[in-house]
Amino acid sequence: VSHDLRAPLTSVRLTLEMLAEGTYGQINERGKGLVGAGISSVEYLNSLVGNLLESEKVESGGIELHYHDTTVGALIEKAVS
């Protein structure tokens, strides 16, 4: 499933990156903004796919979790970094 989702996303990203680099000719500023937004969206989708795969590993027991006490401040600090 991972490959089936990531392969087309990679293809779309590469095409958008080539557009941004001017491989197919120059694009105007609005086009550059739209291409940049498209690249960001593809990156976000790739991140979601990764998160789904990690969730599946946790549910199936493929990842061992280690629990320990912490503070809210420590969690916020880690999230910000």
Side-chain angles (χ1 to χ4, degrees):
V1 172
S2 170
H3 175 74
D4 291 341
L5 292 171
R6 288 188 173 165
L9 289 173
T10 299
S11 178
V12 170
R13 181 179 176 163
L14 290 172
T15 301
L16 290 171
E17 287 174 348
M18 288 190 297
L19 278 170
E21 293 170 358
T23 302
Y24 303 113
Q26 295 300 315
I27 56 176
N28 62 27
E29 290 303 314
R30 182 170 185 260
K32 289 178 184 177
L34 291 171
V35 168
I39 291 170
S40 294
S41 293
V42 169
E43 290 172 352
Y44 178 69
L45 286 170
N46 268 325
S47 174
L48 287 177
V49 169
N51 290 342
L52 286 171
L53 292 173
E54 284 186 29
S55 296
E56 179 60 30
K57 286 179 186 176
V58 170
E59 289 178 5
S60 68
I63 293 178
E64 185 178 331
L65 300 177
H66 301 278
Y67 297 97
H68 64 282
D69 292 335
T70 189
T71 65
V72 173
L75 290 173
I76 291 171
E77 187 175 308
K78 185 169 184 170
V80 169
S81 68

